[in-house]
Amino acid sequence: MGYSRRDFLATAVVGSLSLGLEGQESKATEPARAATDPTTGKRPIIVCAKNGLNYLDEAFGMLRGGADTLDAALRVIRGPEDDPNNDSVGLGGIPNEEGVVELDACCMHGPTRRAGAVGGVRNIKNVSLVAKAVMEHTGHVMLVGEGAERFAVAQGFPRENLLTEHSRKIWMLWKEWQSSRDWWGPGIDAPNWKAPETVPDSELWQQRIQKLEEIAAGLAIEPEFRSAAIHRVLFPPTGTIHCSALNEKGEISGCTTTSGLAFKLPGRVGDSPIIGAGCYTDQDVGSAGATGTGEQNIKVAGAHTIVENMRRGMSPQEAGLDALKRIVRNFNGDHNKLRFMDMTYYVLRTDGAYACVSLWEGYSPTDPHGMAIHDGTRRIEKSVGLLKGNSQEFPPVPKIPPELLKNSDYYK
Ligand code: GLY
């Protein structure tokens, strides 16, 4: 994510994160705080992934000015898509294993009950807007690959090179260091998957990091970015941004965009463009979206599950935690597997109640999961973690030395 720890700490943090033994289920059961205005009973609210924070003021102003809820939500997620320094979405996204940026996005418009999505799109930066164009200008819901790109060009979107020099160098660092390690082979959910031997040997880490430092220097990666680039290689991210927006009339929409899993196989499509997984919005109930390990979210149809849970009476927080429990169930609660994945759900009900829940409490004690919110006050709130402790990103590696975690933020 392109959101720094320093920004996070500088922002008002409200949350009910409880600390305890790693891997135990959180006992947090508080219902999400309603955001309704006591005088009118209604007010606009936007919720999104933390990396949307800087775009919330403008989007909230749009809602206040009567803009459509989907346009306001798209304003938020278009921001990081346009930002070459944000390597989780759009321009400058970390590429696939062949060095090609492939983007996914979807949107749902509550008032008209329509949806649009694109997957595996190359050379087009604002795929969230292409998803909207699919919704508005075709009789389809989803376009993928070359067809989606050609459609975007026909709609007037410019073709451009999405691989920034910075993301290219991170990819080269990954390729040169990778040797025989890659994404081929059985996935973590395969019966014969085995956790690699963990070597809690700081000397081994020192050797690995030293080798990466040498390769990074050879690639002319600027010294100040080397630690961040190495972190991306050791812990390939699934950067994504989701946003849901509700206006004073009670109209609600949602959208999600991503460059997907770093160094993925070409053609891999994650959860973000899948209606019902990366995003789901129902004007009668609410909206939900996801960031995290897409493969696991697809299998529980996370966003749809959450909205249906709310339809049956669960609070936003209960609904989100239930979806997370389904992921835990898919791995029989095996924390040796679960710690190599993560998931954060952003949930907004049509009455303004909301919640942010995550499989783990954060990527590290100093990098907790959370959600950016604007309901008149712009802020970050921590997520409620289902499992206590922090995930370790895929692919599995030995325990992360604390000195490396200090450098895990990107582009401070
Ligand atoms: N959640 C983003 C992805 O897995 O592609």
Side-chain angles (χ1 to χ4, degrees), residues 63 89 121 249 348 401:
L63 274 190
V89 301
V121 181
K249 292 187 273 184
L348 179 60

Side-chain angles (χ1 to χ4, degrees), residues 88 104 237-241 256-262 264 268-273 278 290-298 342-343:
S88 66
D104 307 327
T238 54
T240 301
I241 176 164
T256 303
T257 188
T258 190
S259 54
L261 177 62
K264 62 193 172 187
R268 178 264 190 191
V269 172
D271 59 326
S272 299
T291 61
T293 317
E295 281 74 6
Q296 306 316 326
N297 189 37
I298 290 172
D342 216 335
M343 185 60 54

Side-chain angles (χ1 to χ4, degrees), residues 82 200 215 412:
D82 286 336
I215 302 172
K412 293 261 184 120

Side-chain angles (χ1 to χ4, degrees), residues 164-181:
T164 58
E165 199 47 15
H166 192 89
S167 288
R168 187 190 68 79
K169 285 181 178 174
I170 294 174
W171 169 66
M172 282 308 299
L173 180 64
W174 175 79
K175 269 196 91 75
E176 290 195 17
W177 183 75
Q178 196 60 15
S179 67
S180 61
R181 298 179 206 93

Side-chain angles (χ1 to χ4, degrees), residues 368-390:
H369 294 310
M371 178 165 83
I373 299 160
H374 205 324
D375 57 3
T377 308
R378 191 185 70 155
R379 61 193 181 277
I380 297 267
E381 296 190 10
K382 277 186 186 173
S383 70
V384 172
L386 176 68
L387 303 177
K388 292 186 178 180
N390 301 292

Side-chain angles (χ1 to χ4, degrees), residues 55-77:
Y55 307 96
L56 279 178
D57 281 339
E58 193 181 330
F60 191 75
M62 287 171 66
L63 274 190
R64 273 258 148 91
D68 180 74
T69 48
L70 181 56
D71 289 336
L74 288 167
R75 174 65 200 95
V76 174
I77 71 171

